[in-house]
Amino acid sequence: MTDHTMDALEVSFETQALGGPVVRPMLAGGGGGVSAGGGFEGFLRSGASVEMKAFTGVTGDAGGYAIPQEIDSVIDATLKAISPMRAICNVVRVGSAGYRKLVTTGGTPSGWAAETDARPGTATPVFTEIAPPMGELYANPSASQAMLDDAAFDVEAWLANEIALEFAKAEGSAFITGSGVSRPKGFLQATIAATTDATRAFGTLQYLASGAAGDFPTTPQDRLIDLVQALRAPYRQGAVFLMNATTLARIRKFKTSDGQFLWSPSLTGATPGTLLGYPVIESEDMPDIAANSLSIAFGNFKAGYLIAERRETAILRDPYTNKPFVNFYATKRIGGCVSNSEAIKLMKFAVS
């Protein structure tokens, strides 16, 4: 071996040790005699070729797994009809479940006297105690830890929002039709009578008959006006109509004898339309028009219905009780009842 050959080998080893290019044997057919189109020329001469499988996203093992799937991080959901009762009623925060409220009935009697006449004693006010029935609203959904870690959206925030919407729907229904057993007592569950405020017992709501069994009479505007005027003037300041969308759809078609609509549409979406000058609030928890149904309420709900809540919705994240699932235990203690039976009037769809 000549000195030049030894020098070349030393340079080659040094180059490899320093991380340089590695000298490898030349591939067969890679000699300098092959033209630039040697691969295609070899195929033409011998018919030989290297078998290649195409990558495609159609099937998973042929490349589909390598294509990332994009998922919308915002979850669309059907909107629940949330009751507006909390917005129109009197809401108070309480420190315990034993909340009580005192209401005076009849006011303080007084009398007239001349300058030198004797002043006999007058009667004292009468107190009535109101105790809204309380109940605890709860939800206890769960999600696996893997779901929380790997989901493309914020599962915890989504669950919290779902719970809040469901609680709002459940409590709104209870404020209208609740039985009062381990839940608020709805105003439609109160005792009703056709007598006026002067003769009706406290806690009993007054109703006005529509004049037709399960329907409006031939002149519905007359009965609606009677319903408004049955509410005394002090309560009409801030009064609203409450009904569901089906009932409102019928009322919006009513016209007076001169062709004017009873309904006045709102100029903006932020304010409700009016009926006989009073706002109309929609609540899907109000019943449809049927025989003896109480489908329309009119009144000052700030004065007439009391909502007492212990606190806001509390959500406890529990990753220990049911591993590998994480429980989201949500609770809310809330009560409600009629606080002033003179401030709410009902329309009963009956002859009398």
Side-chain angles (χ1 to χ4, degrees):
M1 184 176 295
T2 63
D3 293 339
H4 293 290
T5 304
M6 292 296 295
D7 293 340
L9 289 173
E10 290 176 1
V11 171
S12 175
F13 290 142
E14 290 175 358
T15 303
Q16 294 182 41
L18 296 174
V22 180
V23 178
R24 292 186 175 89
M26 185 176 292
L27 297 176
V34 181
S35 63
F40 183 65
E41 184 178 352
F43 170 72
L44 293 178
R45 289 179 181 273
S46 63
S49 65
V50 180
E51 183 181 2
M52 299 291 291
K53 291 186 177 180
F55 280 109
T56 175
V58 177
T59 57
D61 56 357
Y65 296 135
I67 300 175
Q69 297 180 1
E70 184 155 332
I71 300 177
D72 193 345
S73 60
V74 178
I75 307 300
D76 288 336
T78 56
L79 296 177
K80 297 179 175 66
I82 299 177
S83 175
M85 287 293 289
R86 179 177 288 272
I88 63 175
C89 295
N90 181 26
V91 182
V92 297
R93 296 288 177 88
V94 298
S96 66
Y99 177 74
R100 299 291 188 271
K101 181 179 178 63
L102 294 178
V103 179
T104 60
T105 59
T108 303
S110 58
W112 292 96
E115 180 180 358
T116 59
D117 287 349
R119 270 70 170 173
T122 59
T124 56
V126 178
F127 287 99
T128 299
E129 185 184 64
I130 295 174
M134 302 286 288
E136 190 164 292
L137 195 58
Y138 82 96
N140 193 22
S142 61
S144 68
Q145 186 61 55
M147 177 68 175
L148 297 177
D149 294 339
D150 301 339
F153 59 94
D154 190 341
V155 178
E156 295 189 38
W158 169 71
L159 275 175
N161 185 62
E162 287 291 308
I163 290 171
L165 289 176
E166 182 58 35
F167 275 15
K169 180 177 183 296
E171 71 175 21
S173 176
F175 297 150
I176 295 178
T177 60
S179 64
V181 179
S182 300
R183 70 194 65 191
K185 185 173 183 179
F187 67 88
L188 290 186
Q189 296 298 321
T191 305
I192 60 173
T195 51
T196 62
D197 293 347
T199 58
R200 195 175 66 257
F202 181 83
T204 302
L205 296 182
Q206 181 183 1
Y207 76 86
L208 277 77
S210 66
D215 203 352
F216 283 102
T218 55
T219 55
Q221 64 272 14
D222 295 345
R223 300 308 293 160
L224 291 172
I225 292 173
D226 291 340
L227 180 64
V228 169
Q229 296 306 129
L231 188 69
R232 292 191 290 116
Y235 299 116
R236 287 202 296 270
Q237 306 300 319
V240 298
F241 283 97
L242 187 68
M243 64 190 75
N244 67 18
T246 304
T247 305
L248 180 57
R250 294 194 58 185
I251 290 179
R252 291 187 63 173
K253 301 170 187 176
F254 293 157
K255 296 181 181 180
T256 60
S257 57
D258 57 356
Q260 298 295 320
F261 283 99
L262 297 179
W263 167 267
S264 297
S266 172
L267 297 179
T268 63
T271 58
T274 58
L275 176 63
L276 301 177
Y278 295 93
V280 179
I281 307 299
E282 289 186 45
S283 176
E284 295 310 307
D285 296 303
M286 290 293 289
D288 291 334
I289 295 176
N292 298 317
S293 66
L294 302 171
S295 302
I296 300 176
F298 177 74
N300 188 325
F301 288 86
K302 288 286 185 184
Y305 194 86
L306 173 68
I307 297 173
E309 60 179 2
R310 177 69 174 81
R311 60 181 177 179
E312 296 179 346
T313 302
I315 299 180
L316 174 65
R317 187 181 189 275
D318 178 14
Y320 307 109
T321 303
N322 189 25
K323 295 186 290 290
F325 293 95
V326 178
N327 292 339
F328 296 89
Y329 177 61
T331 58
K332 185 175 188 178
R333 192 182 303 173
I334 193 166
C337 69
V338 173
S339 59
N340 187 341
S341 55
E342 295 183 357
I344 300 175
K345 305 298 180 181
L346 303 173
M347 177 170 284
K348 182 179 180 180
F349 284 83
V351 176
S352 60

